[in-house]
Amino acid sequence: MVIEFSEVRDILQPLCESLDGKSSMRRDGRDEWNSKVRKYLDRRNELNNRVKELIIEVQTQKAVRDEVNLMVRDLKGVRAERSDHLKDIREKLRVKQEEQKQQDDPQQRKRDKRPSASRIKRDMERLEKKYETGGFPGNKERDYHKKMKHLSIALKEASKSEGEGSIRYLKDAVRDAERLQEDAHKTVEKAVKKAQEAHDLMVELSEEVDRLRGKANSAHLGLTNSKSEADALHSQYIVSLRCVHSIQDMMKAMDSREKRDEESGGAERLEVADLMSKLMSGGTLSTEELMALRRN
């Protein structure tokens, strides 16, 4: 098939313009997808960084929980010891009270109703303070010394009656043991609460890690899909661009050949059926084919 250069131009020019338009569209589409790639990449990296931070916090809370659980174990041991001590003191008091009931000593009951040594000490301190501030002027100073002497004797008797093994001593010991046991119990409860709070926070953070990982995976999937779309459009853009350049090279070759023909006064025709068929089917022309086209 032999056709004129003008006819070839009429075919190649619209084709070149069409391919150039498609090339621009594919380039713009590629750039849009690349923009999405960057957004997905930034989002994924941001989520992964947050996940790393949360994992460190989870490990911190786990260490706190484990450390406090060790404290709880030791504190429970202390509480158990104080509970056993309290039971022992209560049992001694019970035995002592049973012995007193069997003896049924009115004098002993009377002595047990006397003020305790600690109360007598407080009375002596108040009396001394009153004396120092002028509460016993003149002839009343003798009353002060008399009362102090009486309290001193009572203190000695109370201290003797409150010696180890006495009912009063055991009652005080029971109160002290109850206080210590209650303090130990509260300390255990406080430590258990702290360990539970650390555990709950650890679980909450772990759930947040899983949630953010899911989002990061979705962002990564979006990144992968966007990159595939961008790569596909880029490949199509390159093919279109090469086709446009090939057509432009063909038309430049024809322009150059026509100019030479006009100068020589001759008219040349170009065999282009096979090359046009290849070009119209979306193929590209090699250097050899372009050289062959130029030779025709």
Side-chain angles (χ1 to χ4, degrees), residues 22-170:
K22 290 180 179 179
S23 175
S24 298
M25 290 175 59
R26 288 163 180 166
R27 181 195 60 206
D28 294 342
R30 178 203 63 186
D31 293 343
E32 289 179 4
W33 281 109
N34 278 333
S35 177
K36 291 181 180 180
V37 166
R38 171 50 56 186
K39 290 181 180 179
Y40 279 121
L41 179 63
D42 292 343
R43 178 60 174 164
R44 184 199 64 182
N45 292 342
E46 178 186 354
L47 290 167
N48 283 335
N49 288 335
R50 181 56 180 157
V51 165
K52 290 178 182 178
E53 293 174 357
L54 288 176
I55 288 175
I56 293 174
E57 184 62 24
V58 168
Q59 294 171 345
T60 299
Q61 293 302 321
K62 182 178 183 298
V64 170
R65 182 200 63 183
D66 294 344
E67 181 181 356
V68 176
N69 279 335
L70 290 176
M71 291 175 55
V72 168
R73 184 184 64 183
D74 295 338
L75 290 172
K76 284 183 177 180
V78 172
R79 183 182 63 181
E81 291 177 359
R82 292 183 178 180
S83 295
D84 292 340
H85 176 67
L86 176 58
K87 291 178 182 178
D88 182 59
I89 294 297
R90 282 175 174 170
E91 179 61 21
K92 288 181 179 179
L93 176 60
R94 187 190 64 78
V95 172
K96 192 67 176 178
Q97 289 174 333
E98 288 294 330
E99 291 176 353
Q100 180 177 328
K101 286 181 181 180
Q102 291 177 1
Q103 293 175 358
D104 195 19
D105 184 358
Q107 292 297 323
Q108 181 64 37
R109 289 197 298 272
K110 184 177 179 181
R111 285 195 295 271
D112 288 340
K113 293 180 180 180
R114 291 180 301 185
S116 64
S118 59
R119 179 178 176 181
I120 294 173
K121 287 180 181 179
R122 291 194 297 270
D123 290 343
M124 292 177 71
E125 290 172 357
R126 284 195 295 268
L127 190 64
E128 185 176 3
K129 187 176 182 180
K130 182 178 179 181
Y131 174 74
E132 291 175 350
T133 55
F136 293 92
N139 57 358
K140 290 187 178 182
E141 184 175 349
R142 184 178 298 176
D143 294 338
Y144 163 73
H145 291 295
K146 184 177 180 180
K147 288 181 179 180
M148 286 295 289
K149 183 177 180 180
H150 175 74
L151 289 173
S152 178
I153 294 173
L155 177 61
K156 290 180 180 179
E157 292 179 354
S159 299
K160 184 178 179 180
S161 65
E162 293 175 10
E164 186 174 354
S166 67
I167 288 181
R168 186 181 294 277
Y169 171 84
L170 291 174

